[in-house]
Amino acid sequence: MIDEAKQDLLVQYLLGELDPATADQVRAELARDVELREFARDFEEAFASLAYTASPMAPPRELPQRILQAERRARRSTLPAPYSKIIWLTMPWALAACLAIVCAVLSLEQTRIRKDLISLQEQNKEASKALISLQEKNTEASRALVALQQKIAQSERDLAALKEKNVLSELKIATLKAQIAAYKGATAVVVWDKEQKKGVLQLDKLPPPGQGKDYQLWVIDSKKPQPVSAGILSVPNDGLIRTSFHPAVPVESADAFAISVEKAGGAPKPEGQIILVGK
């Protein structure tokens, strides 16, 4: 990196404004320093460019006289005459020309930037229109989705209703009636699933069977010679009891249901008293 002091010294050297001793020092420095030498070459080219870009101008009237006077002084002096004074005379005009060029370049750049800005604004308008169009399409799609979801929900409700009707069509509900006066207050309801071949029994106000006895549920299939056992019923009290059951052997149809009082542990076929029967 070349510091500013060295740059100023180099400019004075190129313009011939240094005394011989300092000029020799600068030349020695240029011989040693490649970066400084490149910097000096760039400055020489810049000065030359400035001179070529200057507009032609009429020399001042006193210029010939000044040149002659300078020549006379040069002859009288032992020092070589600096060749930089002519350059300094043209320097203001060269700077003015450079400024004009810079202004022209800036004007062109400003025009280009303005055109780019207009193009970007047009692109932004097109993008805004496209965005609005997409938003409208999205709104329409959302409405269509809501309508489709409503249709699906309605279809699901309709399907659930059909399933419910189908399930109800496969269910048989039988209310068992007491066959003995002692059990008139008891209620028993059987819900039988024809498809699954199993059911649910709900009892209420049925007293416990007594010591050494059990209640046993039977499924009556008209195609079988004997009622089919559906299991022993646990009735610890006369409260509400709900239990599921299925026949001990497969049945084709459940034409009726019955509850009997059997010995503890039950029996393979009804042996005790039938207390509740229903279809």
Side-chain angles (χ1 to χ4, degrees):
M1 182 68 183
I2 302 173
D3 56 37
E4 293 184 0
K6 189 174 290 186
Q7 291 180 16
D8 294 338
L9 190 64
L10 182 61
V11 171
Q12 293 176 14
Y13 169 78
L14 294 175
L15 298 177
E17 296 180 349
L18 298 178
D19 58 87
T22 307
D24 291 339
Q25 292 178 1
V26 173
R27 276 192 290 272
E29 184 69 15
L30 287 171
R32 292 192 303 269
D33 193 338
V34 176
E35 183 180 4
L36 187 63
R37 195 161 54 248
E38 293 292 333
F39 188 81
R41 185 178 295 109
D42 293 338
F43 256 98
E44 288 176 344
E45 293 176 357
F47 287 155
S49 299
L50 290 174
Y52 282 115
T53 56
S55 301
M57 58 176 288
R61 294 179 180 180
E62 68 274 15
L63 181 60
Q65 187 65 30
R66 290 172 60 184
I67 293 175
L68 292 175
Q69 292 175 358
E71 180 64 20
R72 294 190 190 100
R73 286 195 300 268
R75 290 177 182 178
R76 290 195 299 267
S77 176
T78 58
L79 296 177
Y83 62 89
S84 62
K85 291 187 176 180
I86 297 176
I87 297 177
W88 276 111
L89 290 174
T90 60
M91 184 68 69
W93 299 99
L95 292 176
C98 289
L99 181 60
I101 292 172
V102 170
C103 291
V105 171
L106 290 177
S107 177
L108 291 175
E109 184 68 15
Q110 184 179 14
T111 302
R112 185 188 65 80
I113 293 174
R114 187 179 294 108
K115 291 180 179 179
D116 292 342
L117 179 60
I118 293 173
S119 176
L120 288 174
Q121 289 174 342
E122 292 177 352
Q123 293 177 8
N124 184 55
K125 289 179 181 178
E126 293 297 328
S128 298
K129 292 179 181 178
L131 178 61
I132 293 172
S133 177
L134 287 175
Q135 289 175 341
E136 291 175 351
K137 290 181 180 179
N138 183 58
T139 302
E140 293 176 0
S142 298
R143 292 174 181 171
L145 179 60
V146 171
L148 180 59
Q149 289 175 340
Q150 292 175 350
K151 290 181 179 179
I152 292 174
Q154 184 61 42
S155 298
E156 290 177 349
R157 288 193 293 269
D158 294 342
L159 180 60
L162 290 174
K163 287 182 178 179
E164 185 177 356
K165 290 180 180 178
N166 186 55
V167 169
L168 291 175
S169 67
E170 294 297 325
L171 295 179
K172 177 179 181 178
I173 301 175
T175 301
L176 282 60
K177 296 181 180 180
Q179 305 298 307
I180 300 174
Y183 297 95
K184 290 292 184 181
T187 60
V189 178
V190 173
V191 179
W192 174 255
D193 189 332
K194 300 176 185 178
E195 180 70 22
Q196 300 294 327
K197 304 296 184 185
K198 62 181 181 180
V200 175
L201 171 66
Q202 179 174 297
L203 298 171
D204 191 20
K205 298 181 181 179
L206 180 65
Q211 188 69 26
K213 300 290 183 180
D214 275 326
Y215 292 122
Q216 190 167 355
L217 177 63
W218 305 94
V219 178
I220 300 172
D221 185 349
S222 59
K223 296 182 180 181
K224 292 186 179 295
Q226 297 290 339
V228 177
S229 174
I232 302 298
L233 303 177
S234 176
V235 184
N237 54 59
D238 60 356
L240 183 64
I241 297 172
R242 184 180 292 108
T243 182
S244 59
F245 67 90
H246 58 81
V249 297
V251 296
E252 291 187 16
S253 63
D255 300 315
F257 303 92
I259 296 176
S260 66
V261 180
E262 304 291 343
K263 60 185 178 180
K269 61 181 180 178
E271 295 178 356
Q273 191 174 27
I274 301 295
I275 60 172
L276 296 167
V277 176
K279 294 184 178 181

